[in-house]
Amino acid sequence: MTIGLLKEPEGENRVALLPESAKALIQLQVQIIVESRAGEKAYASDKDYEAIGASIHSRAEVLQADLILGIHPPTEEEQLALKDGQVLVCLFQPLSNKKLVERFLDKKITSFSMDNVPRTTRAQAMDVLSSMATVAGYKAVLMAASHSPRFFPMFMTAAGSIIPSKVLILGAGVAGLQAIASARRLGAVVEAFDVRAAAEEEVKSLGAKFVKVEGAKDEASAGGYAVEQSEEYKAKQQALIQEHARKSNIIICTAQIPGRKAPVLITSETVEAMAPGSIIVDLAASTGGNCELTENNQIIEKHGVTIIGDSNLPGTMPTDASKMYGKNMVNFLKLIIGKEGELMLNWEDDIVQNTCVTHQGEIRSERVKNILYPSEIN
């Protein structure tokens, strides 16, 4: 089987496989072809790929591979040119991209979306969302610190005492927990909010205070993801978050709900009530943002507060982010590559079944089917 590695679009610095990960796949008896300069922005040259046994080709040639790898999906025009039965493995957010899913159904493309990997113990080694969230949470704190007019830690100096910054983390998933740990390492006083009751213990274990709103709906069926809350809960949540936001110098927003617009947790009134010079870093910017005033891919200032809208912070650390993504990808591909390097789709494997979005004109993932086509479910 031939596996093709695509160069990512302009603005994306990562690559789906660094040479070390490509080498691991070659050992599985597959042929790796790489689009010219695919790893350039992650500091991996064409010669690096050739040194481990891969070959360099044009984009058109790579798109003819049996199995195509990427972070972002190919362009719409390229998708329409794919051959029936080709396999595509990337991140394409099927829960909010119905047109793309239907295109793959029409073309009979076998598509795997790595953001659909189940949140189970066995699947942790393939969980690209957690890997990228780790990078984002870490970098969000560094970005906040570089924009802040205040120190993070407390200082006792000859010029007097400097009080530590107060940091509020909204969402205590992987990104939020990494942000807590990073802010604590820098010496800030940290508190965090999450609708999931299970997050409280994790937040406290990292030395942060947990901001608790009573009455949250925490559905086990959501597979570890946050779920939509009642209007009554949202009102209580809003009041408590505004109270804590007013006292915070830094807010890191990480709260997202798969397939839905990000919940608005910071209103314009909350921003106006914050101290001038405060910083908001919104990692949910691409899905609407947790802050009402967030503009995706923009750094703006409102009421003296700097608001950074960036959902692709992993792209600012392309070497390690690509290394993590590639390792996750290799671990997943081992499930669908046979002993002779052939494609082997075992539908009895829950990871393969749930990560696969489309195959032979049908939707394989029950999660995707339930959300995109609820009226067709009996």
Side-chain angles (χ1 to χ4, degrees):
M1 179 169 60
T2 301
I3 295 180
L5 174 63
L6 291 174
K7 186 177 188 294
E8 297 303 317
E10 192 64 36
E12 177 58 78
N13 298 323
R14 295 170 293 169
V15 64
L17 291 178
L18 288 175
E20 62 197 73
S21 294
K23 182 178 180 181
L25 289 181
I26 290 173
Q27 292 171 349
L28 299 178
Q29 310 302 313
V30 300
Q31 179 186 356
I32 302 291
I33 62 174
V34 180
E35 182 181 348
S36 178
R37 302 170 68 185
E40 184 178 56
K41 292 183 179 179
Y43 303 97
S45 68
D46 288 351
K47 289 184 178 179
D48 293 333
Y49 285 101
E50 290 176 324
I52 55 88
S55 56
I56 305 302
H57 295 262
S58 69
R59 186 173 183 86
E61 291 171 319
V62 173
L63 285 166
Q64 295 298 312
D66 302 315
L67 189 154
I68 301 169
L69 298 181
I71 296 173
H72 301 278
T75 66
E76 182 177 342
E77 183 180 350
E78 290 169 339
Q79 292 165 23
L80 292 171
L82 293 175
K83 299 175 294 185
D84 287 3
Q86 274 186 292
V87 181
L88 178 65
V89 185
C90 61
L91 277 167
F92 60 85
Q93 300 177 329
L95 299 181
S96 55
N97 208 338
K98 189 173 181 178
K99 286 186 178 179
L100 185 145
V101 171
E102 291 180 340
R103 203 173 297 134
F104 289 159
L105 288 171
D106 291 340
K107 293 290 295 181
K108 291 185 170 56
I109 301 300
T110 296
S111 62
F112 292 90
S113 191
M114 294 301 291
D115 54 319
N116 221 39
V117 170
R119 289 270 170 105
T120 61
T121 301
R122 179 169 164 261
Q124 282 181 347
M126 310 158 208
D127 188 352
V128 298
L129 289 185
S130 291
S131 294
M132 297 304 100
T134 296
V135 182
Y138 168 79
K139 193 61 182 284
V141 171
L142 297 187
M143 186 171 283
S146 69
H147 281 82
S148 177
R150 300 177 176 87
F151 285 117
F152 262 49
M154 178 178 71
F155 282 115
M156 303 290 288
T157 75
S161 298
I162 302 292
I163 62 172
S165 289
K166 294 180 179 178
V167 177
L168 174 63
I169 313 292
L170 300 179
V174 176
L177 292 173
Q178 185 57 237
I180 293 169
S182 300
R184 290 282 295 151
R185 288 190 199 103
L186 290 177
V189 174
V190 184
E191 52 187 15
F193 160 81
D194 197 287
V195 297
R196 296 167 300 126
E200 181 173 359
E201 186 177 339
E202 295 173 313
V203 166
K204 289 180 176 178
S205 72
L206 292 171
K209 177 184 176 183
F210 189 70
V211 179
K212 191 170 185 177
V213 183
E214 298 293 343
K217 181 170 59 175
D218 190 10
E219 293 184 4
S221 61
Y225 295 98
V227 296
E228 191 74 28
Q229 298 293 324
S230 68
E231 292 304 317
E232 180 185 0
Y233 176 86
K234 288 178 182 178
K236 290 194 293 183
Q237 166 189 281
Q238 195 63 59
L240 192 59
I241 287 176
Q242 174 151 326
E243 178 187 333
H244 286 263
R246 285 173 173 168
K247 304 171 186 175
S248 300
N249 307 118
I250 309 287
I251 300 178
I252 310 291
C253 303
T254 74
Q256 298 193 66
I257 303 171
R260 295 178 181 267
K261 186 178 183 295
V264 174
L265 303 177
I266 303 293
T267 64
S268 57
E269 291 80 9
T270 304
V271 174
E272 192 170 358
M274 292 175 69
S278 297
I279 310 292
I280 297 173
V281 181
D282 197 338
L283 302 185
S286 66
T287 54
N290 293 149
C291 176
E292 189 176 20
L293 300 177
T294 296
E295 295 180 19
N296 192 29
N297 296 322
Q298 299 293 326
I299 299 176
I300 61 174
E301 185 174 310
K302 297 286 185 179
H303 310 298
V305 176
T306 299
I307 304 170
I308 303 168
D310 197 331
S311 295
N312 191 27
L313 287 182
T316 66
M317 296 187 65
T319 300
D320 280 342
S322 297
K323 182 176 183 177
M324 296 168 78
Y325 187 97
K327 184 65 175 175
N328 292 146
M329 187 72 86
V330 169
N331 288 334
F332 173 74
L333 291 173
K334 286 178 179 179
L335 298 180
I336 62 172
I337 296 176
K339 292 182 180 180
E340 302 300 322
E342 78 281 10
L343 181 67
M344 179 187 70
L345 300 178
N346 176 15
W347 302 118
E348 298 299 315
D349 188 311
D350 68 303
I351 298 175
V352 175
Q353 169 70 24
N354 288 301
T355 306
C356 183
V357 179
T358 62
H359 176 66
Q360 295 181 348
E362 296 181 352
I363 292 181
R364 298 293 310 194
S365 167
E366 289 299 321
R367 182 164 171 250
V368 173
K369 191 183 297 183
N370 290 341
I371 291 176
L372 293 188
Y373 302 96
S375 61
E376 298 178 16
I377 306 299
N378 293 326

